[in-house]
Amino acid sequence: MSVSNTEETEPKATRRTWMGLAVLALPTLLVALDMNVLFLALPRLTAELGADSVEQLWITDAYGFMVAGLVITMGTLGDRIGRRKLLLTGAVFFAIASLASAYAPNPTVLIAARTVLGIAGATVMPSTLALITNMFRDGQERGKAIAVWATCNFTGAALGPVVGGILLDHFWWGSVFLMALPIMVVVLIAGPLVLPEFRPPQAGRLDLTSVLLSMLAILPIVYGIKTLATGNGTATVSVVAILVGLVFAIVFVRRQLRLENPLLDLRLFTRRSFALVVLALSLAGIVMAGVGLLVTQFLQSVLGYSPLVSALWFAPMGLAVAVGTMVTPAFTKSLKPSVAIAGGLAVSTLGAAVLIVVNSTWGPVPVVIGIAILAVGTGPLFTIGTGLVVGSVPPERAGSAAAMSETANFLGGALGLALLGTIGAAVYQHQMTGAVPEGVPAAAAETARETVAGASSVAASLPADQAGELLRQAHGAFTAGLNAAGVLSTVIFGLFAVLAAVFFRRAGGEQS
C-alpha cells in the first residue's frame, strides 16, 4: 500500500495526543486481559458458586462470544455515532458489569454480567484503534502508536493468566474483575479531556439486518469450534453449529456486497495486500492460540507445575510479543514493511521449529525459548499489518476496518484452539494405543488413552512400577502431539514468510 507524499506535511502529534494514547492503552490492555483472566480463578469461583460443567463453560466463554459477535457491529457503530462516545459508553458498562461479576451471588448472575462485559468489551477494541488512526496523522508516529496498541492487545491476552494468578494469591476470586474499576474511572475522567471526537458528517444508517446476520454467522461458528476443541458437547452439535454459522455467513456476505453502505466493506478483499494481511493475522492467531493451549497443558500435565507456576513460565510468550511490537517502528526506519514482516515470520518459523524437537525430559526451558522466539517474530505482522488494514480505508471508516482486523485475529484464535488441540489429541491417542501397561482395568485404560490428565488420574491408583511406565508413555505421547503442532506451525509461518517476501510487494504492500 502506497502512502501519499502529502503525508510528509501532516501535523505532528502534540503532548495531548500522546496523553490520549496512554488513556487508550489502558482499556485496550484491560479488555485483552479479561479474555483469559479466569484461567486460574475458575476452579475457586466454581466451588464457591456451585457452578456445574455447563455453567463453567458459559462463565468462561460468554465474554469472548459477545466480543466476537459484536466487534464488527461496534466498529461500524463508532463510525456512525462517534468513536469517543462509543468508547466512553462502553467504559461505563464495563465498569458496572465488572462490579456485578466480582460480587455475583450465583452462576446465573455471573454469566449475565460476563455477557454484558463482552458487549462493552466489543466497543473498546475498534474504538481505540480507530481513534489512534484519527489522532496520529504522521505516518511514523501512527506506526509507533499502533505498536503501543498492538503491544497492549496481544500481550494482555497472554498475560491474563499470570495477572489472575497473582491476584488469587492475595485476594478472593472477585478481585480479577475489580481491577477494571480504577482503569475505567481514569478513562471516563481523562477521556473527554485528551481524546478528540470523530464522527463523519454524513454518517449512514446502521443496517440492523446485517448486525443480526453477523452475529448469527460468527457466534455459532465460534461456539462450534470451541466445543470441538474442549470436548464440551457432542461433535455432531458442534459441526451443525459451524454449518449453520457458515450459511448465515454466506447470506451476510451477499447482503454486504449489495448494500451501498455495508456494515463491513468486503470489497476491500479485492486488494491483494489487504487480503494477505488479514489472512496472515488469522493464521498467526491460529498458531498463537493453539500453541498456547498445548504449552500450558504441557507445563501442567507433563512437567507437573501448578497453574500459577505454569502461567509464570508461559509469561515470556506475552513479553516477547511486547518486545516484537515495540521494536517494529525502529526496524521500519531502515527496512521496507514487506522485509520486516517476512523477516519476523522467518524468526517465528525458527521458534516453531524448536517445538518440533522438544522432549518431555528436557524441562520447561526449551519450550519457553521456542514460544518466545515464535512470539517475538509476530511483532512486525501485528504492528505493520494492523496499520495496513486500518490505513486501507478513509478515516471515516477506520472503525469498521479495525473491527475487521480484530475479527480475523479472534476467529483465528478460536480455530487454533480447535485445530492444534485436535491434532495434539489425535497424536496422543494414536501414540497411546497399546501403550497402557498390562493388568490395567479396561475402563481405566480407556481413560488413560483419552487424555494425559486421564492417564495421571489412572496412575494414581496403580502400583508404582505400572504408574511410572504409564506416565512415561503418556508424557511422551503428549509431547509428540506438541511436536506435531510445531510442524504445522513451522509450515504456516514459513509459508507466509515466503508470501510476504514475494507477493506483498507485488500487491502494493510497500510503504515509503
Side-chain angles (χ1 to χ4, degrees), residues 92-118:
V92 171
F93 283 97
F94 201 99
I96 295 172
S98 295
L99 189 62
S101 298
Y103 294 100
N106 55 60
T108 301
V109 173
L110 182 54
I111 292 169
R114 289 279 288 170
T115 300
V116 177
L117 268 176

Side-chain angles (χ1 to χ4, degrees), residues 63-103:
Y63 178 84
F65 283 168
M66 298 313 297
V67 171
L70 286 171
V71 69
I72 291 175
T73 298
M74 294 304 182
T76 305
L77 182 62
D79 292 341
R80 303 290 199 271
I81 69 172
R83 282 82 184 258
R84 187 182 71 180
K85 180 178 181 180
L86 181 65
L87 174 63
L88 297 180
T89 302
V92 171
F93 283 97
F94 201 99
I96 295 172
S98 295
L99 189 62
S101 298
Y103 294 100

